[in-house]
Amino acid sequence: MSQAYIEIPGDPASGLLLIADHASSHVPADIALGIAETLLGEHVAIDIGVDPLGRALCAKLGAPGILGGVSRLVIDLNREEDRPTLIPIRSDGHAIPGNAILDEAGRADRVDRFWRPYHGRIAELIAANRPAMLISLHSFTPQLREDPRQQRPWQVGVLYNQDERAARIAIPLLEAAGVVTGDNLPYSGKVLNATMNAHGEANGIPYLGLEVRQDLIEAEEGVARWAELLAPVIVETLSRL
């Protein structure tokens, strides 16, 4: 299996494919980021809670999934290949010195090792068994280090760019379930939506972009609770498309 991703088996007949770009904090042994090890447990390195939540949702939905296999500090799989921030040199107040000194050959190597296999595998799965809907799963930090005044009270954000089909169904379903829901918040999918732009919008496939607040899913009980809550919303959204 590629180091670029972890593939969760599931039934294509579910009509779903779950994709989680930032599910891992893994840094390959031959890559030196020049950061403290503790930083790999923080939101700049990984979407906290997304790996267990993604696995739990795949199990409940019977759906296949693709989880990103390396930290977003190694390469950000939710960026276009030519974006300057594809390999970040700074994230939420933290410098990433090993990336700052990376030359063009080193950059190209990371794209070849991680970005292309990840997006290539997603494309293969979609081509083989076109899903009726994609699920894009992320999590967000309750508070940014660089802007601690910014309030992020939402429990779940639903993100989208041009294709709002699934979002318009899911937002009222989440609100009816008592979830404090952000409509293209805490940030907009019209600004940052690379993976769904490439595999959803470019293929005409509806997608549900879900961002769960990290403090809600950092523990096992929270993961179980939110998997139980989100799974029926996903199923109902799919049925109404």
Side-chain angles (χ1 to χ4, degrees):
M1 181 180 290
S2 170
Q3 205 174 35
Y5 58 84
I6 297 160
E7 190 164 341
I8 308 299
D11 186 355
S14 67
L16 298 166
L17 174 63
L18 183 143
I19 300 168
D21 300 312
H22 303 141
S24 176
S25 62
H26 177 63
V27 179
D30 64 330
I31 292 178
L33 296 176
I35 60 173
E37 187 84 15
T38 54
L39 199 58
L40 294 177
E42 298 187 19
H43 76 95
V44 295
I46 182 174
D47 276 2
I48 294 164
V50 158
D51 179 288
L53 181 59
R55 292 173 188 270
L57 284 172
C58 284
K60 283 186 174 295
L61 299 165
I66 292 286
L67 311 181
V70 291
S71 171
R72 66 200 303 173
L73 297 181
V74 173
I75 192 164
D76 194 326
L77 298 168
N78 191 29
R79 297 290 188 278
E80 291 83 4
E81 185 180 350
D82 60 353
R83 276 283 189 105
T85 53
L86 180 71
I87 298 173
I89 61 172
R90 188 173 184 84
S91 183
D92 196 21
H94 297 281
I96 319 299
N99 289 344
I101 61 171
L102 197 67
D103 60 17
E104 283 304 311
R107 182 184 178 88
D109 179 64
R110 288 204 201 168
V111 170
D112 288 341
R113 286 175 63 185
F114 309 116
W115 192 93
R116 288 204 178 104
Y118 176 76
H119 286 283
R121 185 57 182 150
I122 294 171
E124 287 173 358
L125 289 170
I126 289 172
N129 295 285
R130 182 182 173 92
M133 186 174 79
L134 303 176
I135 306 161
S136 174
L137 187 63
H138 290 268
S139 67
F140 65 93
T141 180
Q143 189 176 66
L144 290 171
R145 185 170 180 263
E146 286 192 323
D147 187 7
R149 296 167 301 172
Q150 185 186 106
Q151 299 300 307
R152 290 176 150 190
W154 310 282
Q155 294 173 302
V156 174
V158 179
L159 305 190
Y160 52 88
N161 186 7
Q162 299 301 313
D163 189 343
E164 302 181 12
R165 286 176 288 175
R168 289 290 152 238
I169 297 167
I171 290 170
L173 290 174
L174 287 164
E175 290 173 339
V179 177
V180 181
T181 306
D183 185 342
N184 243 356
L185 296 165
Y187 39 80
S188 174
K190 296 183 183 296
V191 176
L192 178 58
N193 202 52
T195 297
M196 289 301 102
N197 287 345
H199 300 290
E201 301 216 350
N203 289 315
I205 300 174
Y207 60 91
L208 182 55
L210 296 172
E211 292 258 357
V212 183
R213 206 175 68 216
Q214 289 170 356
D215 60 318
L216 302 175
I217 54 172
E218 60 188 355
E220 199 173 305
E221 317 82 71
V223 168
R225 175 174 181 266
W226 283 91
E228 195 70 33
L229 193 153
L230 292 174
V233 170
I234 292 167
V235 170
E236 184 63 19
T237 300
L238 176 62
S239 74
R240 294 190 190 184
L241 282 170

